[in-house]
Amino acid sequence: MPVLRRLLAVTAIGATLAVTGCVSSGGGSDPAPAADGTDWSTVTSAEAGGGFDALVAAAQAEGTLNVIALPPDWANYAEMISTFEQTYGITVESANPEGSSQDEINAVQQLGTQERAPDVLDLGQSFALGNVDLFAPYQVQTWDTIPEGNKDADGAWVNDYGGFVSIGCNTSLVANCPQTFGDLAKPEYAGQVALNGDPTASASAFAGVWAAALANGGSLDDITPGLEFFGGLADSGNLLLVDPTPATIESGQTPIVLDWDYLNLTQAEQVAASFEWRVAVPSDGLFAQYYAQAINANAPHPAAARLWQEFLYSDVGQNIWLGGKARPVRLTEMTDSGTADAALVSVLPPVSGEPTYPTQEQTDAANAVVAQNWASATS
């Protein structure tokens, strides 16, 4: 299932992120400089390469952009790709659309400078943090409107879109839909609360445990209260040890589901003809996660790669992600400036407060605690 594949890529639970081995050239060659002599493979901003028009001209001369692991039905990527192609007349070659973040890193390492190597990457955060040496630093024109906590200082990676842990609820089966983690412990929700998968293997479920920790006195350094919370739900009978799917939601088997808000919102659209699937972001356990963009340092089409980044972080690109129910990284600034599509924003559940984001070290430590204790906590 594409959703599960991408969720597993977010935190790479149990995965080893160290880069091993050598990058093979595979018989390829370095990209040729642009007609004006600019070597776009080393350019760190459009201005440094002679301006945005020069970047467009160089990208159009290359004519192709190689992307990887972008499912067309994920975060509105079908529209993103087609709009880019139509806007600039550049062909997008999409490889392994159902692939994972690890598949992307493998492709970069194994294909080296070959013409079919990926130009750009869309990675789970931990993969971005763990492979910076493979990326080319670049700062898009909207760089200053991207929050400091959502980008590498040099532009090796930049968060692009993401969402919050949310509570989805079938209003035809649940009289009073829960709004917070505290609500989930109420006796009225006996046998109704499902976490999207096993948190030792699913990043969305893992995020749910971390959000529960934040709601119960924990922190990014202490996920144990989240384990204790779900242990309590298991003891009370509220927790359903069923992996929710569209089928279980439509049948009513899982009337309350903890999942990313953009996935719960997509679910709401799918079942709208039958019942209301109401979505809330719990204020007592605010936890968000973003994916990250990066440019392959050995991109065979370096100008097109940089133009793609410019497009993604433009108002147009950010609104396309918004159309996929995902929250683009510039959403707050665009909402304040009036450039975010108000109709698309209105669909998103409201969020109270500002999230903080775990470091790689905090993520690794939390993963270890959950892996060791989840089964016993919920048995």
Side-chain angles (χ1 to χ4, degrees):
M1 223 179 132
V3 165
L4 180 58
R5 176 198 59 77
R6 296 292 289 177
L7 289 173
L8 290 173
V10 178
T11 52
I13 296 171
T16 300
L17 301 180
V19 178
T20 58
C22 299
V23 175
S24 169
S25 67
S29 59
D30 293 332
D36 63 0
T38 302
D39 180 1
W40 282 97
S41 68
T42 64
V43 169
T44 57
S45 70
E47 182 180 6
F52 185 73
D53 290 345
L55 173 60
V56 172
Q60 290 176 330
E62 291 172 351
T64 302
L65 173 76
N66 295 345
V67 302
I68 184 172
L70 300 184
D73 58 351
W74 179 270
N76 216 13
Y77 260 119
E79 182 178 345
M80 189 75 77
I81 289 171
S82 64
T83 304
F84 178 80
E85 289 180 320
Q86 292 163 13
T87 302
Y88 295 110
I90 294 170
T91 300
V92 176
E93 298 290 349
S94 181
N96 193 11
E98 305 304 328
S100 69
S101 290
Q102 186 61 60
D103 291 331
E104 297 182 63
I105 296 301
N106 291 345
V108 169
Q109 293 177 307
Q110 294 166 7
L111 295 177
T113 58
Q114 292 185 43
E115 182 69 16
R116 62 194 181 96
D119 290 305
V120 289
L121 307 166
D122 181 6
L123 300 159
Q125 184 66 61
S126 57
F127 283 92
L129 292 171
N131 295 283
V132 172
D133 290 347
L134 298 178
F135 311 147
Y138 185 76
Q139 297 184 9
V140 295
Q141 294 179 107
T142 55
W143 177 261
D144 290 342
T145 68
I146 299 169
E148 291 299 322
N150 295 109
K151 58 190 178 185
D152 173 75
D154 296 326
W157 59 264
V158 185
N159 287 147
D160 42 17
Y161 62 89
F164 290 83
V165 170
S166 67
I167 303 171
C169 172
N170 184 336
T171 62
S172 68
L173 298 175
V174 182
N176 300 298
C177 285
Q179 301 295 305
T180 65
F181 278 94
D183 289 343
L184 294 174
K186 294 178 179 179
E188 65 189 273
Y189 302 123
Q192 294 186 324
V193 181
L195 189 61
N196 189 15
D198 183 329
T200 66
S202 163
S204 60
F206 173 74
V209 176
W210 218 338
L214 298 179
N216 289 277
S219 68
L220 295 181
D221 292 311
D222 182 14
I223 199 171
T224 300
L227 288 169
E228 294 171 346
F229 174 79
F230 279 102
L233 291 188
D235 289 343
S236 69
N238 283 21
L239 183 64
L240 276 172
L241 293 179
V242 174
D243 189 1
T245 66
T248 66
I249 290 172
E250 291 171 16
S251 70
Q253 184 181 2
T254 52
I256 299 172
V257 174
L258 287 161
D259 205 347
W260 298 116
D261 59 349
Y262 54 94
L263 298 181
N264 264 327
L265 288 168
T266 299
Q267 184 64 54
E269 280 192 344
Q270 293 172 348
V271 300
S274 302
F275 57 87
E276 179 188 4
W277 184 254
R278 189 173 297 169
V279 183
V281 174
S283 58
D284 59 346
L286 198 62
F287 187 88
Q289 185 66 271
Y290 282 86
Y291 287 96
Q293 284 289 325
I295 297 172
N296 180 4
N298 287 322
H301 311 103
R306 285 155 176 78
L307 183 60
W308 173 252
Q309 301 299 302
E310 295 285 1
F311 179 70
L312 296 182
Y313 293 98
S314 69
D315 291 349
V316 172
Q318 296 279 287
N319 274 311
I320 290 175
W321 270 324
L322 188 57
K325 309 296 188 298
R327 297 174 189 263
V329 71
R330 294 181 52 231
L331 180 58
T332 298
E333 179 270 334
M334 289 175 59
T335 301
D336 292 343
S337 65
T339 57
D341 187 312
L344 297 177
V345 172
S346 68
V347 175
L348 303 177
V351 173
S352 176
E354 290 293 331
T356 54
Y357 304 94
T359 64
Q360 185 64 48
E361 292 75 15
Q362 289 171 320
T363 300
D364 290 344
N367 280 335
V369 171
V370 171
Q372 183 175 354
N373 298 292
W374 174 254
S376 60
T378 57
S379 62

